[in-house]
Amino acid sequence: MKKLLPLAAGLLITGCAMPQTPPQSAASPSAISVDTLKSVTERLSADDFEGRAPSTATEPMVLDYIVSTFRKAGLKPGYKGQWLQEVPTVEITGDHYSPLTVSGAGKPLQFAFGSDYVGVSYRPVPHTALKDAELVFVGYGINAPELGWNDYAGIDMKGKIAVILVNDADYANATEDGPFKGRRMTWYGRWPYKYEEAARQGAAGAIIIHDTFPAAYGWNVVNSSWTGAQYYVKTPQDGMDQTQFNGWLQKPAAEAILKAAGKDLASLTAAAQKAGFRAVPLGLKASVAFDNTVRRSTSHNVVGVLPGTSRPEEAVLYSAHWDHLGRCTPDASGDDICNGAVDNATGVAALAAIAEAESKAGGAARSQVFVALTLEESGLLGSAYYAQDPAVPLDHTVGGVNMDALAPGGRARDYAMIGGDKSDLTALFRKELAAEGLVESAEEGTEKGHYYRSDHFSLAKRGVPMFNLGRGVDLVNGGKAAGEAADADYTQNRYHQPGDEYSADWNWDGIVEDVTLFYRLGRALADSDAWPNWHEGDEFRAIRDASCAKATGGCHK
C-alpha cells in the first residue's frame, strides 16, 4: 500500500538544532528546462524499458540512462566515488500455512489462512513455526516515551505473541486533539511501527486485529497485500532481529479468541485508549507454521552530487524513485507494460532538471546530493537502504526534496503539507509559497497516513525531519472542479496501470510549478547554516536529538 494522492509530490526537509540563521528565500532558479522534463520522462517510460522493474534484464539499461542524464546535468559520482549503490534485497514467499490454532480454554479454536488470518516472516528461513506461544493483549502496541505512553510497561514479551489494535488510541476523534493527533494518523498508528516495536520488546510474534474504519481499508486489501511474495531490504542482522511471525486477524476471529479468554474486545479497546493501560495476558497459547521460499537479488540506487562551495561535508538531498511495476495485468488492448510515466519517470526527470538549474546557478554552500532510488514500489526499500548507508551521514544531511508522481496539468493555486506541521521548517515552506504567489491548503484524508507511504519516510524514521508536499486541486484554470476531475481520471484510468504512459499532449505547467518550488526549498537550505528540528513531542524528535548528540560537526552545533 503506497501513495493514494497521484497529484502529490514528497518534500523532505531535515536538520537538528534550532536554526542559527533562518533559511532565506532562495533566488529563483535558472528556468527549469521543460525540454529536460519531457525528454527524460519520455525515455524512462518507453516500452523498451518494460516498466522499469528492478532486478530484471532492463535494469542496466535504465541505470545507464540515468547515469548519463546525471552526468550531462553536471553532477559527479556521489556514492563513495561511484554512481551506483548496490541495494541487496530479500524476497520471501510463504506457503503451506497451517491454521492458526489457539488453545487453553476448552476445545482449541482454529482459524484459516486468508479468510481469518494472514501472516508472514521477516526472517529468511525455510520454515517458520511457533508452538504454544502465549498471547498477550498489548492495546495499541505503542511505546512513546515523549508522550509518557508505554503499552508494554511491566510485561516480558520474550517468546510471546503480541495481540495489537490497529491505528492509535485517539483515532476516533474528529479533530486532531489528543496525544496521537486524533484523526490524523501518526507513525505509532501504522502497522510497520507495531511490528518493529514488538520485535524491540522481544516478542516471538505480533498480530494486529483488523477493523475497517481505523485501518482505513478493508480485509480484502490486507489479504491481497499479505499473501504472495514479500520484499525486504537486507539489514545488518539479515532480519533475524525481527519477530518470527507478523500477521493480521479478522475482527470476529479476535472477538472469539478474547471471549475464550473471558475478555471482551470492546472493553479492552476502551481500556487501551486511556493513559496508564497495562498489557493483559490472555491465558491462551497460539500455534502457527508455514514454509518460506527465499530469493535474494540486488538492485541499485543512482547517486550524483554537486559539491558544496564552503561546507561540502553538509548536504541537502533530492530524491525520486526510478522503479515501477514492469509487466502487469494487460488492459483491454492487450498492453501489459506498466510504463510508469507519471509514477515516477516525472520524478527522475525533475531530479535532472533541478541538477541542471543548480549547476547553472553555481554551487551552494552545502553539497547537494541527487538520488534515483529503486524498489519504492516494493515497500520503500531503496530509500530504506540509502538511509542505512547514506552518501552523506544523516547527522550531516540537512534536508531535501523527494519527488513522486508529478501529475501533468495546469498550475495550482495551493499546496498542502502532507503530515501536517511537524518541524521548524514549516516557516520556510510558507515563505516559499508566498514568494511563488501560492497558498497553503489543508491535507485531505489525514486518517490514512499518507505521510508514511513514500520514500521521504525512510529518512524520517531514522530521525531526519521531513515535509511531504502535495500540489492542490484548485487550478488556476478551471478551479477545484477541474483539479478533482484530473485527479480522479488518473487514479481510475492510469495509476498502476498500462495507461500511465507519456503523451506529447501533456500540459507541463503544473510540473514546472512543482519543480520550481522544490528547487527554492532545497536551495534555501543549501545556502543556509540552519539546522531545524522536529517540534517537541513529535514522534521523531528524540531519534534526531540522539543522532545529533553523537555527531562530530553536522547537526551537533
Side-chain angles (χ1 to χ4, degrees), residues 345-376:
T346 58
V348 180
L351 285 178
I354 291 174
E356 282 183 348
E358 294 284 10
S359 295
K360 290 177 183 178
R366 288 162 162 159
S367 295
Q368 297 173 84
V369 178
F370 294 77
V371 187
L373 297 160
T374 187
L375 292 161
E376 189 270 356

Side-chain angles (χ1 to χ4, degrees), residues 287-298:
S287 300
V288 66
F290 50 94
D291 296 328
N292 297 304
T293 300
V294 179
R295 184 177 77 92
R296 297 180 184 271
S297 60
T298 300

Side-chain angles (χ1 to χ4, degrees), residues 182-520:
R183 182 61 54 87
R184 179 183 291 280
M185 182 177 282
T186 68
W187 173 228
Y188 295 123
R190 292 281 291 149
W191 55 263
Y193 166 79
K194 297 177 186 295
Y195 295 142
E196 291 175 14
E197 186 59 40
R200 285 189 287 269
Q201 296 291 333
I207 192 160
I208 298 172
I209 301 170
H210 176 264
D211 191 355
T212 297
F213 176 67
Y217 39 78
W219 180 256
N220 62 315
V221 175
V222 175
N223 191 23
S224 64
S225 300
W226 290 81
T227 53
Q230 306 290 309
Y231 297 88
Y232 313 102
V233 66
K234 188 177 185 302
T235 64
Q237 299 80 20
D238 201 21
M240 299 306 290
D241 57 338
Q242 299 301 302
T243 58
Q244 297 176 57
F245 168 75
N246 289 316
W248 290 78
L249 187 67
Q250 283 264 44
K251 185 177 179 180
E255 290 172 330
I257 291 171
L258 292 174
K259 182 178 180 181
K263 308 293 183 182
D264 173 70
L265 178 58
S267 299
L268 286 178
T269 299
Q273 290 173 343
K274 299 175 182 178
F277 168 81
R278 291 294 181 265
V280 180
L282 297 179
L284 302 174
K285 297 182 178 181
S287 300
V288 66
F290 50 94
D291 296 328
N292 297 304
T293 300
V294 179
R295 184 177 77 92
R296 297 180 184 271
S297 60
T298 300
S299 187
H300 300 82
N301 294 327
V302 185
V303 188
V305 63
L306 191 64
T309 57
S310 61
R311 280 169 284 133
E313 74 282 0
E314 300 174 2
V316 172
L317 180 70
Y318 299 87
S319 63
H321 72 91
W322 63 257
D323 66 302
H324 199 55
L325 306 180
R327 293 190 177 272
C328 52
T329 303
D331 62 14
S333 72
D335 184 359
D336 69 344
I337 298 176
C338 277
N339 302 81
V342 170
D343 184 13
N344 187 36
T346 58
V348 180
L351 285 178
I354 291 174
E356 282 183 348
E358 294 284 10
S359 295
K360 290 177 183 178
R366 288 162 162 159
S367 295
Q368 297 173 84
V369 178
F370 294 77
V371 187
L373 297 160
T374 187
L375 292 161
E376 189 270 356
E377 302 287 2
S378 300
L380 317 183
L381 300 188
S383 57
Y385 194 79
Y386 180 85
Q388 284 182 203
D389 184 21
V392 176
L394 298 187
D395 55 30
H396 281 62
T397 300
V398 183
V401 180
N402 179 57
M403 293 162 285
D404 196 352
L406 311 185
R411 294 180 61 247
R413 296 185 176 92
D414 61 313
Y415 282 78
M417 291 186 295
I418 311 305
D421 179 8
K422 296 177 68 65
S423 89
D424 298 330
L425 282 176
T426 303
L428 175 60
F429 170 71
R430 290 170 178 165
K431 180 183 291 185
E432 298 303 338
L433 283 186
E436 290 294 306
L438 301 166
V439 298
E440 182 181 352
S441 55
E443 177 188 358
E444 298 291 334
T446 58
E447 73 280 1
K448 296 178 181 177
H450 295 297
Y451 182 77
Y452 308 97
R453 302 187 184 190
S454 197
D455 277 320
H456 64 278
F457 175 62
S458 294
L459 285 90
K461 69 184 294 187
R462 288 181 174 267
V464 182
M466 305 177 188
F467 284 122
N468 184 21
L469 178 65
R471 191 197 317 162
V473 295
D474 186 7
L475 302 187
V476 173
N477 294 318
K480 293 182 179 180
E484 290 171 353
D487 191 341
D489 176 68
Y490 175 79
T491 302
Q492 294 169 13
N493 300 315
R494 277 170 280 285
Y495 176 64
H496 281 197
Q497 301 174 60
D500 186 2
E501 296 183 313
Y502 173 84
S503 172
D505 296 329
W506 277 5
N507 179 345
W508 288 85
D509 291 349
I511 294 178
V512 170
E513 180 180 55
D514 292 341
V515 179
T516 300
L517 182 57
F518 299 158
Y519 173 98
R520 293 180 63 93

